[in-house]
Amino acid sequence: MNETPTPASAPPHRHYSLATLRSIIATWGERIRFRRELEQKLKDDPHLIADIGLTQRQFEAEIAKPSWQGPMPPL
């Protein structure tokens, strides 16, 4: 009967399956590889930034994102 009250603002605990966790990690790895390849391609040929429809600022923001953030939405 001595239950510890939990704050109303406490987020619920999430339980992921091993397959889901592997999928999340794989997605992060793909994003890391994509951003590194994009950065290298655009360093080799800076004119590609305009060709793919990005400004220099958008390109830099995309490259700087952490792996858990997805790509920017299409314009």
Side-chain angles (χ1 to χ4, degrees), residues 7-71:
S9 62
H13 292 284
R14 295 182 183 176
H15 298 282
Y16 295 107
S17 70
L18 185 56
T20 300
L21 291 174
R22 285 182 179 156
S23 176
I24 290 169
I25 291 168
T27 299
W28 290 355
E30 289 170 12
R31 289 177 183 164
I32 289 169
R33 280 188 299 279
F34 170 77
R35 289 180 178 140
R36 285 181 184 161
E37 289 173 8
L38 180 63
E39 182 176 26
Q40 187 58 50
K41 286 179 183 179
L42 296 177
K43 280 183 179 179
D44 294 342
D45 187 358
H47 300 291
L48 289 177
I49 295 173
D51 289 349
I52 62 173
L54 295 177
T55 65
Q56 183 69 30
R57 182 174 283 170
Q58 289 171 320
F59 162 70
E60 290 169 359
E62 187 65 27
I63 297 302
K65 284 183 182 179
S67 60
W68 56 87
Q69 285 187 336

